[in-house]
Amino acid sequence: MATKNLQSSDHRDLLDIIDKLRLQGITRWVDLPEIIVCGDQSSGKSSVLEAISGMSFPTKDNLCTRFATELVLRRGDRTSIDVSLIPDPTRPEAEQVRLRSQKFHLEEPLNLGMVVNTAESVMGLDGANKGFSTDILRIELCGPTQPHLTLVDLPGLFRAGNKEQSDQDAELVEELVMGYMKRPRSIIMAVVSAKSDFALQSVTKLARQLDTHGDRTLGLITKPDTLDVGSDSERAYVELAKNNDVRFGLGWHVLKNRDYAMRDASSAERDKAEEEFLSSGVWTELESNQLGAKTLGPRLSNVLIDHIILYLSAIQCDVESGILGCNTILDKLGASRATLSDQRRYLGKVGQDFSMLMQAAVNGEYSYYSFFGDSRSDESYHRRLRAVVQTTLTSFEGQMRKEGKARVIFDEESDDNESDEPERQENLCMISRSDYVEEVKSLMRRNRGRELPGTWNPMIIAELFRDQCQPWKNIVGGCIAGIIRAVHQVINDILEQVSVGKTTERIRRDIINPKMEMLVQNLQEKVTEILNPHYSGHPITYNHYLTTTVQEVQKQRYLKSVEAALRTSDAIRKENRHISKINYSSLARSVAQYTEQDMERVASLQAVDYMEAYYKVALKNVIDNVGALVVEACLIQKLPTLFMADTVYDMQDTDVQGLASEGKEVVEERTRAMQKLERLQTCLRDLKRFDKHGSAHSR
């Protein structure tokens, strides 16, 4: 067992540290190991505490404890008792102060009836309007015979109300008890009265429901003397105590309570009567360490110590995590902003941090893990603005090439009977080249000027191109809209990272949004500037790629016609496929017959070639210009300047106050975070001190 490595003083030090954490209210943030005493009403829980501590606890039939009682037992040379109240953290601060002021220090054992009555009065338990409380009565008992142990006694469970406790009270008590039992580091001491069938007692059902494997539950059987000797009920409870029925990882224990006849007996008399009863009859079948109050205290102490040691590292990790969370909140809230200089300093820091994070997002430098996080999550990816922009523009380029043409022109079947028609896709208008050329011939007739046959009016290229690039406007618009949405999301995330409360919304509304509106307006103007020439002007390019592309297309078409001529020429077609002599005149005539005689078709084919070549040149320019001149120059590179520290220094005092003055909720949040941080840091120091102390003892 781990307890063998710790001295008794170390037991006490470790328990004191955990109790100190609990006393400071750390349980609101950190789950602490503890033994909770649970049972149905009148199951004998108070008698169990009395047997362990030797102190007389108030008992009353048919009425359970109205609040949780924390019993802290420590071994010491002298007997002393300290009684205090731990208020529910949700109470108003003034009420918490009032409850904490109720303290008693005694050096003689006492009947706690008077203390409990006082506690009920202070908690406001009048039985009519409020029957139970979530406050805690804390009793610290030190004495030479006490074990090192801390227990939390919870109100007893009951099903139906009466004149002193309502059905609503029953629900409240069950909710309170389940709240303690649900904590994964709580040890459940389930008290079962032998007076009743254990299967009908709520505590066993709840324990098995909330601790499904029974790893952290210890069963305690009370009032075994009420069972008829030799009865089936007695045998059933013996089997239960042997862990043969309801199995609990921590086993079972048997305790004989004071009966009514021994209500005024001393602790020694009570212990003697218990020992005599459990040393005879069927109870002798159990191990000695399962019987009586004398062994229960040390047993519980060892169980608790082992449980604390098991979770000590996890508790420290929880505390450190809580400290990190507090520091994050305080960094976000900044220093107090009571004065104008405080407010200006705070805004300057917000502007500096905003500009830094935005520049990092723009540059694709994602080393600030606290903001950018893990790229595998969608939230973190959306904060990586450069990655989002690059991905969006890459998709834009693909969409422009795939969907940018109003009509896709495909060539008819080639000589090898393989179709060159591209795979038909939804939303794309397909047309064969021959049909398209026929349309162009008709269009050229309507645009004739003084050109010679076989040539064309150059403005026909502009008209064909305008029709072909119609989808560009919508594709560009969709790309820009997506990037603007991504930018707004990053802006919001950064603002929430570097500022807090109403200041975040004020900066967004009064500074960021107006500047963003100007940037977007300039961006839209640049988009119009880039696209308008393609819709209203005439084609302009000085890129040799235009003529190179046209020449290559015409060369390929000519080569195809020559190949077709050669395949069908009489000059080279022989039965035995052996050519002894080529008639070059005949071969020339075969090639010449494939020369296009329709001058309008020649002009139309050439016009289509030039339009398609110009489309490719213009497409590349538009794609690059949207990325470089629109997205990058008009928007992305200007984002870090939306809110900078220099902006704050030029603000009027009234503007600074309007942006950075603190609301009540910010002040309260900072106060809560500072209080929590102070308590957690104290706890961490105590835990680390014990770790060094315990390590020194174990060497």
Side-chain angles (χ1 to χ4, degrees):
M1 295 289 287
T3 52
K4 294 179 180 178
N5 296 326
L6 289 173
Q7 312 239 347
S8 179
S9 60
D10 293 328
H11 283 201
R12 175 166 184 159
D13 290 342
L14 183 54
L15 288 173
D16 285 345
I17 288 173
I18 298 300
D19 288 341
K20 183 178 179 181
L21 302 188
R22 186 179 293 106
L23 191 59
Q24 292 178 342
I26 300 302
T27 50
R28 282 181 284 171
W29 313 301
V30 179
D31 184 22
L32 297 177
E34 59 188 355
I35 296 178
I36 56 173
V37 185
C38 313
D40 286 11
Q41 190 175 104
S42 301
S43 61
K45 293 190 300 84
S46 295
S47 297
V48 172
L49 300 181
E50 180 179 312
I52 295 173
S53 66
M55 188 187 313
S56 177
F57 279 75
T59 58
K60 183 180 179 182
D61 290 341
N62 303 321
L63 181 63
C64 65
T65 310
R66 294 174 177 270
F67 42 78
T69 301
E70 186 175 304
L71 179 61
V72 180
L73 305 177
R74 296 291 184 269
R75 187 168 300 163
D77 296 333
R78 294 187 308 165
T79 298
S80 64
I81 304 172
D82 289 286
V83 182
S84 59
L85 296 178
I86 304 176
D88 187 325
T90 61
R91 278 186 180 269
E93 185 63 31
E95 291 187 21
Q96 293 190 43
V97 171
R98 179 175 61 83
L99 265 67
R100 289 195 190 97
S101 67
Q102 302 295 319
K103 295 183 178 180
F104 304 88
H105 177 74
L106 304 157
E107 295 184 355
E108 296 291 337
L110 80 163
N111 187 302
L112 289 175
M114 179 191 68
V115 175
V116 170
N117 290 336
T118 302
E120 289 180 353
S121 176
V122 174
M123 293 177 186
L125 299 176
D126 54 13
N129 298 320
K130 186 177 181 183
F132 292 85
S133 174
T134 50
D135 303 314
I136 300 172
L137 173 66
R138 178 181 172 90
I139 303 171
E140 301 177 59
L141 175 58
C142 182
T145 62
Q146 295 298 338
H148 293 311
L149 180 62
T150 300
L151 302 171
V152 180
D153 179 37
L154 300 176
L157 297 160
F158 61 96
R159 296 182 181 83
N162 55 31
K163 65 180 181 179
E164 294 180 311
Q165 50 195 25
S166 66
D167 291 341
Q168 289 74 21
D169 288 336
E171 295 175 2
L172 188 151
V173 169
E174 182 172 333
E175 183 179 345
L176 173 66
V177 173
M178 288 185 66
Y180 275 88
M181 295 175 77
K182 283 178 180 177
R183 299 173 185 174
R185 295 173 190 167
S186 292
I187 299 170
I188 302 170
M189 187 163 77
V191 180
V192 176
S193 171
K195 260 189 171 183
S196 307
D197 185 346
F198 71 87
L200 300 178
Q201 299 183 49
S202 301
V203 67
T204 55
K205 176 183 176 182
L206 292 178
R208 283 179 287 181
Q209 176 183 331
L210 299 175
D211 179 23
T212 53
H213 300 292
D215 297 333
R216 55 186 181 91
T217 302
L218 185 149
L220 180 63
I221 300 171
T222 62
K223 306 178 183 180
D225 52 319
T226 61
L227 295 167
D228 292 329
V229 176
S231 66
D232 291 341
S233 296
E234 184 184 54
R235 173 47 54 186
Y237 269 101
V238 170
E239 293 302 313
L240 184 66
K242 289 181 177 181
N243 221 12
N244 291 334
D245 192 339
V246 177
R247 297 185 61 84
F248 288 145
L250 299 177
W252 287 82
H253 202 93
V254 180
L255 195 74
K256 178 184 178 298
N257 303 69
R258 290 178 187 267
D259 55 23
Y260 185 77
M262 294 191 66
R263 63 188 181 279
D264 297 324
S266 66
S267 295
E269 291 171 336
R270 178 234 164 263
D271 292 345
K272 183 179 179 182
E274 180 184 59
E275 185 176 354
E276 290 176 353
F277 174 79
L278 295 175
S279 61
S280 63
V282 294
W283 305 108
T284 58
E285 299 177 23
L286 303 177
E287 298 291 336
S288 59
N289 63 355
Q290 289 183 263
L291 301 172
K294 186 177 181 179
T295 60
L296 179 58
R299 181 180 181 183
L300 292 176
S301 179
N302 287 339
V303 167
L304 180 58
I305 288 293
D306 286 343
H307 207 63
I308 291 173
I309 293 172
L310 177 65
Y311 286 106
L312 197 57
S313 176
I315 292 171
Q316 183 168 324
C317 288
D318 288 349
V319 172
E320 290 173 343
S321 177
I323 290 173
L324 179 62
C326 288
N327 285 327
T328 300
I329 291 173
L330 291 173
D331 287 344
K332 182 179 176 181
L333 294 173
S336 175
R337 292 171 263 156
T339 67
L340 178 62
S341 62
D342 291 339
Q343 295 164 1
R344 195 178 291 276
R345 191 179 304 110
Y346 171 76
L347 282 182
K349 179 68 164 54
V350 171
Q352 178 182 341
D353 292 345
F354 177 90
S355 182
M356 176 194 69
L357 284 178
M358 184 59 79
Q359 190 68 61
V362 165
N363 292 344
E365 298 171 354
Y366 311 127
S367 57
Y368 300 97
Y369 188 81
S370 60
F371 176 72
F372 292 110
D374 188 339
S375 62
R376 285 170 290 192
S377 74
D378 290 341
E379 180 182 5
S380 297
Y381 165 68
H382 291 311
R383 292 181 174 184
R384 289 164 154 76
L385 184 58
R386 175 56 63 187
V388 173
V389 169
Q390 295 281 66
T391 301
T392 303
L393 288 176
T394 299
S395 298
F396 162 71
E397 187 269 347
Q399 187 180 10
M400 285 286 281
R401 293 192 182 279
K402 179 180 177 182
E403 304 173 16
K405 296 178 181 178
R407 292 197 288 181
V408 177
I409 305 170
F410 66 91
D411 293 319
E412 293 85 344
E413 291 187 1
S414 59
D415 292 336
D416 56 3
N417 295 322
E418 291 184 2
S419 175
D420 290 335
E421 179 180 351
E423 182 181 350
R424 291 187 177 273
Q425 301 180 50
E426 190 176 356
N427 300 328
L428 293 183
C429 181
M430 317 287 288
I431 186 171
S432 66
R433 185 172 299 278
S434 59
D435 289 342
Y436 188 70
V437 168
E438 289 301 315
E439 287 186 13
V440 173
K441 282 175 61 177
S442 176
L443 192 62
M444 290 180 67
R445 291 172 185 151
R446 294 172 178 269
N447 284 276
R448 280 178 176 166
R450 290 175 289 179
E451 62 273 10
L452 293 172
T455 61
W456 70 91
N457 185 338
M459 292 310 297
I460 193 68
I461 304 298
E463 189 168 347
L464 294 175
F465 173 75
R466 275 197 300 271
D467 291 341
Q468 192 70 323
C469 71
Q470 285 302 312
W472 288 6
K473 186 176 295 184
N474 288 336
I475 296 174
V476 172
C479 170
I480 297 301
I483 289 177
I484 291 174
R485 284 195 300 271
V487 167
H488 276 296
Q489 183 168 344
V490 173
I491 288 173
N492 292 338
D493 288 347
I494 293 178
L495 279 178
E496 291 176 2
Q497 176 79 10
V498 301
S499 60
V500 69
K502 294 182 179 178
T503 299
T504 300
E505 181 55 36
R506 291 167 184 167
I507 293 174
R508 181 189 295 113
R509 180 193 63 209
D510 297 342
I511 296 180
I512 301 293
N513 285 351
K515 290 186 177 181
M516 272 298 295
E517 289 174 3
M518 292 180 60
L519 290 182
V520 171
Q521 181 179 345
N522 293 338
L523 179 148
Q524 298 292 2
E525 290 175 356
K526 179 60 71 173
V527 169
T528 301
E529 179 184 333
I530 289 172
L531 292 181
N532 266 4
H534 299 297
Y535 290 114
S536 59
H538 63 276
I540 297 177
T541 182
Y542 302 99
N543 192 330
H544 68 86
Y545 179 77
L546 176 74
T547 54
T548 300
T549 301
V550 171
Q551 290 171 7
E552 181 65 23
V553 168
Q554 292 178 344
K555 181 177 73 174
Q556 293 299 324
R557 185 183 299 121
Y558 180 71
L559 286 175
K560 285 184 179 181
S561 66
V562 171
E563 289 173 2
L566 292 175
R567 281 195 295 269
T568 59
S569 173
D570 291 334
I572 62 174
R573 190 167 59 234
K574 300 292 183 179
E575 291 295 334
N576 57 7
R577 303 189 178 212
H578 292 290
I579 302 175
S580 57
K581 183 178 180 182
I582 296 177
N583 187 332
Y584 290 101
S585 298
S586 176
L587 179 61
R589 286 193 296 273
S590 297
V591 173
Q593 72 180 355
Y594 280 88
T595 302
E596 181 63 61
Q597 301 298 318
D598 186 342
M599 302 303 291
E600 286 186 335
R601 179 172 175 79
V602 170
S604 298
L605 278 170
Q606 291 180 349
V608 172
D609 291 342
Y610 271 93
M611 183 276 290
E612 289 189 301
Y614 181 74
Y615 178 91
K616 293 179 180 179
V617 174
L619 180 70
K620 292 180 179 180
N621 288 337
V622 167
I623 291 172
D624 288 343
N625 288 339
V626 167
L629 301 181
V630 177
V631 174
E632 200 68 27
C634 292
L635 182 62
I636 301 300
Q637 291 301 326
K638 297 183 183 299
L639 293 178
T641 67
L642 286 175
F643 187 46
M644 305 173 67
D646 293 348
T647 306
V648 178
Y649 303 141
D650 296 332
M651 285 183 183
Q652 299 294 322
D653 291 348
T654 54
D655 294 334
V656 171
Q657 291 173 332
L659 289 174
S661 59
E662 288 187 312
K664 180 181 178 182
E665 72 283 355
V666 175
V667 176
E668 291 176 348
E669 185 177 2
R670 182 185 293 107
T671 301
R672 286 194 300 269
M674 292 178 68
Q675 290 175 346
K676 178 180 176 181
L677 178 62
E678 182 180 359
R679 293 180 185 181
L680 290 175
Q681 287 175 334
T682 301
C683 295
L684 185 61
R685 286 194 295 268
D686 290 338
L687 289 169
K688 288 184 175 180
R689 264 201 306 270
F690 174 80
D691 185 49
K692 293 179 181 178
H693 175 63
S695 299
H697 273 276
S698 63
R699 286 196 294 267

